[in-house]
Amino acid sequence: MILAEKIITLRKKNGWSQEELAEKVNVSRQSVSKWEGAQAVPDLEKILKLADLFGVTTDYLLKDEMGEEEYAPSTAEENAPMRHVSMEEANAFLKAKEETSKTIAFATFLCVLSPICLLLLGAASESARFAVSENLAGGIGLTVLLLMVAAAVPMFITSGAKTSMYAYLEEEAFETEYGVTGMVKERQKKYRDTYTKCNVMGTCLCIVSAIPLLCSAFLTQDEFVVVSMVCVMLFMVAVAVLFFIRAGIRWESMQKLLQEGDYTVQMKKKNPLTNAVSTIYWLLTTAIFLGYSFVTDDWERSWIVWPVAGVLFGAVMIVVRTIDGRKDN
């Protein structure tokens, strides 16, 4: 791999545009473009600057035969011992993530399905076709909802406990022992097709999940039928979540070991802020959902808080990362 290709790879890995890299190295965007097009070579001062900026050695940048990234500790961290991840530890981590991905996906599946009984019984209590009182419907529905959530919570906790010893992989910079990177990349290559298929299936299910609700809205005015279609929609979304979470956790476990995507050394420095915002955001969302639901007793509609919060969460994270990025510059 030549210098031009290495600069392109490292720049994209850090999520920088040519303009952003040029600003950090104190050159023009055209200079970066020429470097990446192999039309010019940075001088020694710029090579040193690029090596420090990307966190790699100058040998890696200058020697074409070095295809594997060789990381160099930053000046402030030269004396700090960096944790090493062995082949045994890497395999144990991947195995633990594969096992817990099933548990976490199923626990989330239960949480998404938990309001269905309450919705159906609530609609039944308002229909003359069913001899179900409003109090009985609410009592049974809430009981089932709480039982399903109560079943899911221990799954989340036990899964977190099983992988808590590997928390440093997403919080700290580390080095892998010989053979680990190659092993993980090989697994990632084999799993890529499955990961893509799971995302495609999950996305398609989310899209078509609205069809039953739309059909019922056009074809009938029966509230029970409409609510039933809402439940069908929730079930389809719950199945989609199974695909997303199980595949996503396994894929992220490989990214963590390779320090790619959201787990590069640069991104890890930003994690404390994003994690804090994420925690506060979902705690507030839960408080709003429970407060509104208990005060209004409108459990049949309050579930809409979650999909809305999910969409807004992406926007909030983009804003946080943008602000954090400006601070770094």
Side-chain angles (χ1 to χ4, degrees):
M1 186 184 293
I2 64 174
L3 175 60
E5 294 172 332
K6 291 176 181 178
I7 293 176
I8 294 172
T9 300
L10 291 168
R11 175 176 62 78
K12 291 182 176 179
K13 190 173 182 179
N14 284 275
W16 298 332
S17 64
Q18 287 186 341
E19 290 85 351
E20 290 173 321
L21 178 58
E23 184 179 345
K24 293 177 184 294
V25 187
N26 197 26
V27 297
S28 66
R29 188 200 64 79
Q30 288 76 14
S31 295
V32 174
S33 180
K34 288 181 179 179
W35 295 346
E36 295 184 351
Q39 298 172 357
V41 177
D43 59 33
L44 181 58
E45 180 185 352
K46 295 299 186 288
I47 288 288
L48 293 172
K49 180 69 175 178
L50 288 170
D52 183 63
L53 193 62
F54 291 135
V56 297
T57 62
T58 53
D59 280 351
Y60 168 71
L61 289 176
L62 295 172
K63 294 181 179 179
D64 294 348
E65 65 272 15
M66 291 185 66
E68 289 288 335
E69 292 179 24
E70 182 174 299
Y71 292 99
S74 64
T75 305
E77 297 173 346
E78 285 181 352
N79 298 323
M82 190 173 289
R83 190 190 290 259
H84 283 70
V85 179
S86 66
M87 180 69 76
E88 182 181 2
E89 190 172 11
N91 278 315
F93 171 68
L94 292 175
K95 183 179 179 181
K97 280 296 187 178
E98 183 176 356
E99 293 174 353
T100 56
S101 67
K102 303 173 186 177
T103 305
I104 293 174
F106 182 67
T108 309
F109 177 77
L110 289 178
C111 289
V112 176
L113 291 184
S114 61
I116 286 181
C117 183
L118 181 63
L119 292 172
L120 286 174
L121 288 175
S125 68
E126 297 180 4
S127 175
R129 289 177 293 175
F130 303 95
V132 181
S133 68
E134 186 176 347
N135 288 337
L136 179 62
I140 295 176
L142 281 174
T143 300
V144 172
L145 184 150
L146 292 174
L147 285 174
M148 293 179 74
V149 172
V153 168
M155 297 183 194
F156 287 125
I157 295 174
T158 55
S159 296
K162 287 180 181 178
T163 56
S164 60
M165 67 183 73
Y166 304 108
Y168 71 90
L169 291 176
E170 59 183 273
E171 297 171 356
E172 305 173 14
F174 59 85
E175 294 179 343
T176 54
E177 294 185 357
Y178 178 77
V180 172
T181 298
M183 178 272 293
V184 178
K185 284 186 175 180
E186 185 63 27
R187 286 201 184 190
Q188 190 183 57
K189 182 179 178 181
K190 291 180 179 179
Y191 190 67
R192 186 179 298 275
D193 287 343
T194 301
Y195 174 69
T196 302
K197 289 176 183 177
C198 286
N199 280 321
V200 170
M201 293 172 68
T203 302
C204 290
L205 275 172
C206 286
I207 293 171
V208 302
S209 65
I211 293 177
L213 183 59
L214 291 173
C215 290
S216 65
F218 289 129
L219 300 176
T220 181
Q221 298 295 321
D222 190 321
E223 185 176 351
F224 182 78
V225 174
V226 174
V227 172
S228 297
M229 292 302 100
V230 170
C231 295
V232 171
M233 180 184 72
L234 283 176
F235 178 79
M236 295 175 72
V237 170
V239 175
V241 166
L242 281 174
F243 287 114
F244 286 136
I245 293 181
R246 186 170 177 184
I249 289 177
R250 292 190 62 186
W251 184 261
E252 284 189 352
S253 67
M254 300 175 204
Q255 286 192 313
K256 288 176 183 178
L257 285 171
L258 296 173
Q259 300 190 90
E260 294 178 344
D262 290 335
Y263 304 100
T264 61
V265 176
Q266 288 77 13
M267 289 300 295
K268 287 176 182 179
K269 295 176 182 178
K270 300 178 182 181
N271 273 345
L273 175 61
T274 55
N275 288 342
V277 172
S278 177
T279 300
I280 294 171
Y281 180 88
W282 289 113
L283 286 173
L284 285 174
T285 300
T286 304
I288 291 170
F289 168 71
L290 293 175
Y292 175 81
S293 300
F294 278 111
V295 170
T296 64
D297 198 27
D298 191 14
W299 295 88
E300 295 180 9
R301 296 180 179 85
S302 60
W303 61 270
I304 197 67
V305 167
W306 296 109
V308 172
V311 173
L312 290 177
F313 179 70
V316 170
M317 287 296 100
I318 290 173
V319 171
V320 170
R321 287 171 179 169
T322 301
I323 295 173
D324 201 30
R326 288 177 179 174
K327 287 181 179 178
D328 290 342
N329 292 337

